[in-house]
Amino acid sequence: MVDQVLTIAIIVGQCLLIVVPLLLGVAYTTWAERKVIGSMQLRQGPMTVGPWGLLQPIADGAKLFLKETVVPSGANKVVFLVAPMLTFILSLIAWAVIPFGDGLVISNINVGILYLFAISSLGVYGIIMAGWASNSRYAFLGALRSSAQMVSYEIAIGLIIICVLISAGSLNLSEIVRAQSGDGFWYIFPHFPMFVLFVASILAETNRHPFDLPEDEASLVTGYNVEYSSMAFALFFLGEYANMILMSAICAILFLGGWLPPFEMAPFTWIPGPIWFILKICFVLFIFFWARATLPRYRYDQLMRLGWKVFLPLSLLWVVLTAGFMLAFDLLPA
Amino acid sequence: MTAPLFVFYVLAGICVASAVTVISARNPVHSVLFLILAFFNAAGMFVLAGAEFLAMVLVVVYVGAVAVLFMFVVMMLDIDIVAVRQGFLRYLPVGALIGLVLLVELVLVFGTLGVGEVPFPAAEPTPAGVSNTEALGAVLYTDYFFAFQLAGIILLVAIIGAISLTLRDRGPLKRQDIGKQVHRERSASVRLARVESGKGLG
């Protein structure tokens, strides 16, 4: 009995150890985004609340928390309220398999990357349910756009992951990182075109600029979440940013060598693995902000064309090339 | 009761309950949502049985792709719930008959064999030290290569069939050629003209 209680306590502790820093990370990602975009546009960003606006995310959170949750009278109440929860929960449970360092992972399952892929393919339900349950034309259109977009770009992401899997010879995330050890042989170097495609695809998968068609303010008045207010809206918002961080983490694991330092020598190996991992996540997140500050939004047909006619053939070609190269030079991992 | 058994009963209970709700829910969108819940619990049971690859593929393919399409169709259709209710009684005998046939088959199988007996030799268990996904991958591309390719070709034929069924000639379409647009020069599209007042360009 004591053993079981202890096990459960350890599990709860591990969950809190992931979730609390993650939520703080999400809060400060929003802050960092506003600061970065501010600098790029020669503004200061949030400056009023706290020193350098550091308390701004907390003020925003408190504001959303204290507002009234409005459920539209024509809405399907249960589905309407389940949708934001689902989005938020899905963005959290994926972190169970992310390795923060050598052996620093809650659940070291053998099909880790497939698990992540499965969870990210569920993300579309939060949006689709929100759009349908709102009983509003704008929300519904936004949801339809978003689901078509996410399903399209998932295929490219799947093929890009296959390229990495062929090189690493494992579906286990820790093994994928270990396969990249050795001096600077991260998969970004042999698979550089796939890294570019992957970053563009995760922008589309998380519905971020320049692919943020679902919340296109100009034509859809922010799309699927137009009817949401207060905490329900905040959950969508948190889910979106947690997904951004998650996708950046996946990118860091697949292409940037996870927790590994860039060179296996003295000044680099002094810094512990998790710090390297977080730095790499920040690097990919910076690309997210950078894209948002500089690129114009795609038109919907251009977005679909890019996904199906450019990314899909290119990534398929790269899978064949990778497999052929590995086979020809006898490099396939046993 | 051990913990895995307890988890199994929870998953199986939710799975059966949501499967019943799929056919009894009034709103078709709710039906699809419960179908997804049923798939999800089935995936959980696969994990319990040690078939983690099957579990993930079930979620990726059925929940992530097939059910999204169901959802699309059901949300777009303007279904009259009353009409569906009336059909329920009419089709009940057919459904009951199919259920009966399945039941009789199950009773025949288990009645003649007894639980636990297997008429065919069971497949080789996964060799020790090899993960289930690795073992699956190793036999899929070697021993069952022909069947695997055949499945791929059948899927390809199905894709081509689906496209050719829905593709129809809609007359002249305005197509966009990105390359052409990018290579358009200023001289080909803009002409500066000095227009004299009262005359126009002519």
Side-chain angles (χ1 to χ4, degrees):
Chain A
M1 194 61 207
V2 178
D3 274 7
Q4 282 171 343
V5 171
L6 201 66
T7 321
I8 291 170
I10 288 174
I11 291 174
V12 171
Q14 283 176 326
C15 293
L16 285 178
L17 217 57
I18 293 279
V19 170
V20 173
L22 180 67
L23 288 182
L24 267 180
V26 166
Y28 280 93
T29 306
T30 66
W31 178 81
E33 175 172 39
R34 294 167 70 176
K35 278 289 185 193
V36 167
I37 293 179
S39 312
M40 285 179 181
Q41 297 170 344
L42 301 180
R43 297 182 286 115
Q44 284 188 314
M47 285 298 275
T48 324
V49 192
W52 304 290
L54 269 174
L55 297 176
Q56 184 70 45
I58 295 162
D60 289 346
K63 181 200 128 188
L64 282 170
F65 192 73
L66 293 173
K67 287 221 165 186
E68 181 193 356
T69 306
V70 181
V71 181
S73 57
N76 194 312
K77 223 172 236 162
V78 178
V79 181
F80 186 82
L81 292 176
V82 165
M85 296 179 205
L86 188 74
T87 306
F88 184 60
I89 292 169
L90 285 175
S91 67
L92 291 185
I93 60 173
W95 286 90
V97 296
I98 299 282
F100 290 87
D102 207 348
L104 271 181
V105 50
I106 289 187
S107 173
N108 191 15
I109 57 175
N110 282 323
V111 287
I113 192 74
L114 267 181
Y115 172 81
L116 285 180
F117 194 61
I119 296 298
S120 77
S121 72
L122 292 181
V124 69
Y125 283 108
I127 291 175
I128 236 184
M129 282 161 72
W132 177 78
S134 295
N135 200 13
S136 148
R137 296 279 188 285
Y138 288 120
F140 192 52
L141 261 179
L144 285 183
R145 278 186 177 189
S146 149
S147 35
Q149 174 180 338
M150 287 170 94
V151 170
S152 307
Y153 279 85
E154 234 154 53
I155 300 172
I157 289 185
L159 287 169
I160 294 166
I161 289 176
I162 289 176
C163 297
V164 173
L165 295 184
I166 293 174
S167 316
S170 175
L171 293 166
N172 184 313
L173 291 166
S174 302
E175 291 299 321
I176 292 174
V177 174
R178 270 183 216 118
Q180 298 177 61
S181 58
D183 281 337
F185 195 64
W186 296 350
Y187 287 142
I188 186 176
F189 299 115
H191 292 300
F192 186 72
M194 287 304 103
F195 173 72
V196 176
L197 248 62
F198 190 78
V199 169
S201 300
I202 59 176
L203 288 177
E205 181 76 7
T206 48
N207 295 320
R208 294 289 298 176
H209 263 267
F211 306 107
D212 61 339
L213 271 298
E215 39 190 281
D216 184 349
E217 302 94 344
S219 63
L220 282 179
V221 288
T222 80
Y224 67 89
N225 58 20
V226 62
E227 301 290 346
Y228 282 86
S229 58
S230 163
M231 269 326 269
F233 174 76
L235 285 181
F236 273 123
F237 200 73
L238 290 173
E240 181 179 329
Y241 278 80
N243 264 331
M244 272 167 62
I245 302 178
L246 173 73
M247 285 295 176
S248 307
I250 297 176
C251 193
I253 289 169
L254 292 181
F255 291 101
L256 301 174
W259 67 80
L260 297 170
F263 301 102
E264 293 287 342
M265 48 191 207
F268 298 106
T269 43
W270 291 345
I271 302 171
I275 304 283
W276 279 118
F277 187 55
I278 290 168
L279 282 178
K280 287 166 187 174
I281 292 178
C282 291
F283 169 70
V284 185
L285 278 175
F286 180 76
I287 300 181
F288 271 86
F289 307 152
W290 190 11
R292 182 166 176 195
T294 45
L295 295 173
R297 185 180 286 127
Y298 265 67
R299 212 173 57 208
Y300 195 69
D301 60 321
Q302 293 170 333
L303 172 95
M304 281 300 172
R305 179 185 158 276
L306 188 71
W308 288 98
K309 293 189 178 172
V310 180
F311 281 14
L312 179 61
L314 273 181
S315 49
L316 200 56
L317 177 75
W318 200 263
V319 171
V320 176
L321 277 181
T322 311
F325 183 84
M326 302 287 275
L327 199 64
F329 291 93
D330 204 20
L331 290 167
L332 284 175
Chain B
M1 197 190 285
T2 56
L5 196 66
F6 174 73
V7 176
F8 170 79
Y9 279 122
V10 170
L11 289 175
I14 298 175
C15 191
V16 171
S18 49
V20 170
T21 323
V22 170
I23 52 170
S24 63
R26 283 182 161 271
N27 193 325
V29 174
H30 291 173
S31 289
V32 177
L33 290 175
F34 277 107
L35 184 67
I36 293 160
L37 190 61
F39 281 147
F40 212 77
N41 284 287
M45 285 193 276
F46 272 134
V47 171
L48 271 188
E52 70 265 16
F53 182 75
L54 273 185
M56 294 307 151
V57 168
L58 182 73
V59 174
V60 170
V61 175
Y62 281 88
V63 182
V66 174
V68 171
L69 287 182
F70 279 179
M71 196 83 168
F72 257 102
V73 172
V74 167
M75 285 195 317
M76 302 295 246
L77 290 179
D78 196 16
I79 295 174
D80 187 2
I81 295 169
V82 182
V84 175
R85 289 283 119 181
Q86 284 169 348
F88 183 74
L89 271 183
R90 227 177 70 208
Y91 296 119
L92 189 62
V94 184
L97 193 70
I98 294 172
L100 193 71
V101 169
L102 285 177
L103 187 69
V104 168
E105 281 174 353
L106 279 177
V107 167
L108 278 179
V109 168
F110 285 111
T112 50
L113 276 178
V115 181
E117 281 178 58
V118 191
F120 307 105
E124 288 280 314
T126 318
V130 177
S131 82
N132 151 352
T133 313
E134 216 175 321
L136 207 63
V139 291
L140 197 59
Y141 292 101
T142 51
D143 297 359
Y144 299 101
F145 183 72
F146 183 67
F148 184 72
Q149 292 291 315
L150 202 65
I153 289 172
I154 292 172
L155 281 176
L156 184 67
V157 170
I159 292 172
I160 295 172
I163 292 173
S164 62
L165 277 177
T166 50
L167 192 70
R168 61 182 198 277
D169 190 17
R170 284 183 294 183
L173 283 174
K174 197 179 163 199
R175 289 202 190 280
Q176 195 181 15
D177 186 348
I178 305 263
K180 217 168 119 188
Q181 287 178 331
V182 170
H183 286 103
R184 204 160 109 144
E185 297 281 331
R186 183 170 181 271
S187 56
S189 38
V190 179
R191 181 166 64 99
L192 279 183
R194 183 176 294 276
V195 185
E196 281 184 48
S197 63
K199 283 192 177 170
L201 268 180

